[in-house]
Amino acid sequence: QKEVEQNSGPLSVPEGAIASLNCTYSDRGSQSFFWYRQYSGKSPELIMFIYSNGDKEDGRFTAQLNKASQYVSLLIRDSQPSDSATYLCATRLNRDDKIIFGKGTRLHILP
Amino acid sequence: DGGITQSPKYLFRKEGQNVTLSCEQNLNHDAMYWYRQDPGQGLRLIYYSQIVNDFQKGDIAEGYSVSREKKESFPLTVTSAQKNPTAFYLCASLSLGQPQHFGDGTRLSIL
């Protein structure tokens, strides 16, 4: 069974601090990695995607990928109350386009 | 505007009834997906389709059926065999090498 693991949280972070969200995956055939944000009762929206080892930055968000350790993370700088949501990590196996999601981490930004 | 349209937004099912959830996309995406999300849980893959007239079972296909007669459409039928259908159903699509995008979801409940 191919798995994506995330700490369910909640992760509480003071406003203005850096929030660090982590994800591990079991299948070394995973080639693409995605972070989605989901507000309660809403559908997921794409925040970041990363394909290569290293860091990828987009505004306040940075995705980090380490394929050797099978680890992907999301950093949110200058956290805002509007960042409070559940963050879903997903991986994609190129061989069959199957996309597997973790159960998500609930993030709570403390005003 | 391009996007993924799911309908209805809310749906109620009686005992022994089959219901069909609609998913239409005008993004010219090749692959389409159906996920189920239970409260406080991640997304579980029901079915996915990479091309017209072909689809594959996901992790929880029992009690569900799909068709892919047109590239734009991927309806999901929740059959009476699905004994616990109450959930949030999400449709997604993607084009090769690109991230997945989601519709707004359908919330299904039992009467």
Side-chain angles (χ1 to χ4, degrees):
Chain A
Q1 178 74 8
K2 303 168 184 59
E3 293 184 349
V4 175
E5 300 285 344
Q6 295 182 255
N7 189 320
S8 62
L11 175 65
S12 295
V13 174
E15 183 175 357
I18 295 175
S20 178
L21 303 163
N22 304 316
C23 172
T24 59
Y25 59 95
S26 62
D27 194 320
R28 289 194 175 273
S30 300
Q31 296 294 325
S32 308
F33 305 88
F34 310 95
W35 282 100
Y36 288 85
R37 177 175 63 197
Q38 186 177 28
Y39 293 114
S40 180
K42 302 295 185 181
S43 65
E45 57 178 316
L46 182 70
I47 297 296
M48 293 282 292
F49 60 94
I50 187 167
Y51 301 142
S52 305
N53 272 331
D55 295 359
K56 179 181 179 182
E57 187 175 319
D58 184 2
R60 295 187 298 112
F61 300 96
T62 299
Q64 300 174 317
L65 174 60
N66 183 326
K67 289 188 177 180
S69 300
Q70 295 178 244
Y71 177 94
V72 58
S73 64
L74 178 70
L75 301 178
I76 306 175
R77 290 181 297 282
D78 189 24
S79 297
Q80 303 296 311
S82 60
D83 294 326
S84 296
T86 296
Y87 288 80
L88 300 169
C89 173
T91 71
R92 175 176 171 182
L93 304 176
N94 275 2
R95 60 178 179 267
D96 61 7
D97 269 341
K98 190 172 181 180
I99 298 177
I100 302 169
F101 281 81
K103 293 186 177 182
T105 298
R106 284 183 295 137
L107 175 64
H108 182 49
I109 305 302
L110 304 169
Chain B
D1 285 333
I4 303 170
T5 301
Q6 289 188 242
S7 62
K9 190 171 183 177
Y10 299 96
L11 186 58
F12 299 92
R13 196 192 86 170
K14 296 179 181 179
E15 287 288 337
Q17 186 182 40
N18 293 350
V19 292
T20 297
L21 285 59
S22 171
C23 179
E24 303 276 334
Q25 54 99 0
N26 60 3
L27 301 166
N28 199 34
H29 285 173
D30 297 303
M32 297 186 74
Y33 301 76
W34 275 106
Y35 293 93
R36 168 181 172 142
Q37 187 175 36
D38 293 283
Q41 299 295 313
L43 278 62
R44 292 186 290 169
L45 182 63
I46 305 173
Y47 270 99
Y48 66 110
S49 168
Q50 294 169 286
I51 57 172
V52 174
N53 292 323
D54 189 41
F55 47 82
Q56 286 77 42
K57 292 182 179 180
D59 299 319
I60 56 166
E62 187 174 349
Y64 300 97
S65 66
V66 293
S67 63
R68 186 87 186 276
E69 298 177 1
K70 299 186 299 182
K71 187 176 184 179
E72 302 79 18
S73 179
F74 191 40
L76 173 74
T77 296
V78 184
T79 74
S80 57
Q82 174 49 248
K83 298 306 180 186
N84 184 23
T86 298
F88 187 40
Y89 290 86
L90 288 158
C91 178
S93 70
L94 62 80
S95 189
L96 185 64
Q98 297 300 312
Q100 208 174 37
H101 294 271
F102 286 86
D104 289 338
T106 293
R107 202 165 295 277
L108 176 62
S109 303
I110 296 180
L111 278 178

